Amino acid sequence: MRNLLDRFRGAGGTSGSSGAGTFRADFTASLVVFLVAVPLCVGVAVASGVPAELGLITGIVGGLVTGLLPGSSLQVSGPAAGLTVLVYEAVEQYGVAALGVLVLISGLLQLAMGALGFGRWFRAISVAVVQGMLAGIGLVLIAGQLYALADAKAPSSGLDKIFNIPGLIGDVAGSADALKAVAVGAGTIVVLVLWPRFRQGAKVLPAPLAAVALATAATAIFDLPIARVEVKGLLDAIQPPGGSEFQALAEVGVIGTVLAFTLIASAESLFSAAAVDRLHDGPRTDYDKELMAQGAGNAVCGVLGALPMTAVIVRSSANVQAGAKTKASRVLHGVWLLVFAVLFPSALGVIPVATLAGVLVHAGWKLIPTKDLVPLWKAHRGEAIILLVTAGAIVITNMFEGVIIGLLMAVIKTAWETSHVHVEVSGREDVGKPLHVRVRGNATFLRLPKLLDELEGLPREREVELDLTGLRHVDHACEMALATWTERHNAVVKRGAALEERVPA
């Protein structure tokens, strides 16, 4: 015990606290995080279309592997709702066996990016794109889990999930069993919303565990004919990738999925780290080391054929609020997950699928920035548009394409806002001499139409001397267009003057 205390002492928390007191705080916090993690790990796995045990495996790796590595001292990693939609699409297209390859390569890419110092650059990603990404995920997640609430199979695409909801309502209204499943799922959501207001109860049991426990008890007491979680056993669920799965990397679609895994998992983890740093006074996150820690965890998850992991803000905030001082709390939470998965796997088989769907509907709603959208629209309309377009693109297309569209819009918006150009004209009074036109600012192709309109408004009978020394930046398209316009304009003026000289008075 003394060695364990010495190992984790100083990894975070307040100075001056005793080793035994720090360990007690971490031990208590680890139990709280474990109770929060169990229903979320299982729910994310079921929603992703994989065995429930794979979610627990990812949570275990997040505690025992990523939890031991340097980076962020108090944030907790595991399977996240933010990747559920992407994982489901990948499993539907390539199969569960190929999931390990996708996660393994993503983990190796994260390791490489962290080693090359790319971790800090993820902070440069537009917040509107990240919020739009999470909102799009939340919308698709909610739409998909509405079907799981009724023990029905969801359509594959995001648009189909939304457009088929009226038909789902009709099917539920005509089925007594479906209505019972919906009642269990809706009751779960109600408990999740109201439980935190019951402060004494919330101190004993986290809201997700309380909701799942109450729904499971009600299902058992009334012997409701609704679907339960299928249990295979921990070892049976592990599916390490083989040679045939690695051959799938030659497909273009697989590469896009790997890049989407890498981008989203990295961005979500590092944004979570920034949020967690604001919750405590301990050491700040080293973004490059944290990215490598996430990469190591995902590489191990890939070898085991499990779900991809990210840092999860729900578990991380629960860890901080429970009084965690060092990384020992997140490591111990992984130990408790392992003990639970090994000793009590049959406990998963009594959990209704509808109650896990209710947990994920609630989680999906929290991904949508409903409180931030109106203030953002009033203060920064362009950012709000990027958020909405990114979310809509994810729903209409898929995760990877939606994020790319959002990033492109953010780049274009930034380029537009920074490419201010001013045209100054002098020499108008010196008849017979060329006009001196000086261009100042940043000339990019985005401002080229406006710039050429101003130049076209100059007198057509006067030559132009174009001065670009006042430009801080000019791209190739602008430079070539301005040079071509000046050459043609002056050539026209000279031809006109030559014709006037030939015409007799």
Side-chain angles (χ1 to χ4, degrees), residues 103-123 125 258-270 286-296 298:
V103 178
L104 172 60
I105 301 302
S106 297
L108 295 177
L109 286 176
Q110 287 179 306
L111 279 168
M113 290 191 300
L116 294 173
F118 285 179
R120 69 197 70 177
W121 287 101
F122 273 88
R123 290 180 291 176
I125 297 177
V258 169
L259 293 177
F261 273 166
T262 307
L263 174 64
I264 295 169
S266 302
E268 190 169 346
S269 294
L270 297 182
D286 184 315
Y287 286 88
D288 293 328
K289 290 182 179 179
E290 179 61 20
L291 186 56
M292 293 183 70
Q294 295 294 326
N298 273 317

Side-chain angles (χ1 to χ4, degrees), residues 272-489:
S272 172
V276 173
D277 279 350
R278 292 194 291 268
L279 298 178
H280 67 89
D281 298 325
R284 305 294 91 181
T285 297
D286 184 315
Y287 286 88
D288 293 328
K289 290 182 179 179
E290 179 61 20
L291 186 56
M292 293 183 70
Q294 295 294 326
N298 273 317
V300 174
C301 288
V303 171
L304 298 175
L307 291 171
M309 76 164 60
T310 71
V312 187
I313 189 62
V314 174
R315 274 162 260 185
S316 301
S317 59
N319 189 39
V320 175
Q321 291 168 5
K325 302 299 181 183
T326 74
K327 65 175 67 174
S329 61
R330 59 187 192 178
V331 176
L332 286 173
H333 118 277
V335 173
W336 310 142
L337 284 174
L338 178 60
V339 171
F340 175 82
V342 171
L343 298 182
F344 308 105
S346 58
L348 301 177
V350 301
I351 300 175
V353 172
T355 194
L356 295 179
V359 171
L360 290 174
V361 167
H362 183 259
W365 178 256
K366 292 175 70 174
L367 291 175
I368 303 173
T370 51
K371 295 181 180 179
D372 299 333
L373 188 55
V374 173
L376 185 64
W377 179 266
K378 292 179 179 179
H380 304 282
R381 187 158 298 181
E383 294 291 303
I385 292 173
I386 291 174
L387 189 158
L388 293 172
V389 170
T390 303
I394 288 173
V395 174
I396 295 171
T397 59
N398 56 53
M399 183 70 60
F400 183 67
E401 293 178 9
V403 171
I404 294 299
I405 290 171
L407 290 173
L408 288 175
M409 284 196 63
V411 171
I412 292 172
K413 172 182 173 291
T414 301
W416 177 264
E417 290 179 344
T418 57
S419 60
H420 295 292
V421 177
H422 302 281
V423 177
E424 298 175 349
V425 181
S426 58
R428 293 181 184 271
E429 66 281 357
D430 298 330
V431 180
K433 293 184 179 181
L435 292 171
H436 184 76
V437 179
R438 188 168 188 260
V439 184
R440 297 188 300 106
N442 298 287
T444 69
F445 70 95
L446 294 172
R447 296 290 184 175
L448 186 55
K450 176 186 176 182
L451 187 55
L452 291 177
D453 286 343
E454 291 193 40
L455 294 177
E456 291 290 348
L458 296 174
R460 297 181 179 274
E461 69 279 2
R462 300 278 298 274
E463 288 188 47
V464 169
E465 291 180 351
L466 192 62
D467 180 6
L468 302 182
T469 57
L471 287 174
R472 292 187 295 272
H473 169 76
V474 56
D475 63 18
H476 181 68
C478 255
E479 188 175 16
M480 292 298 296
L482 293 175
T484 301
W485 181 90
T486 305
E487 182 179 349
R488 289 179 179 176
H489 176 85

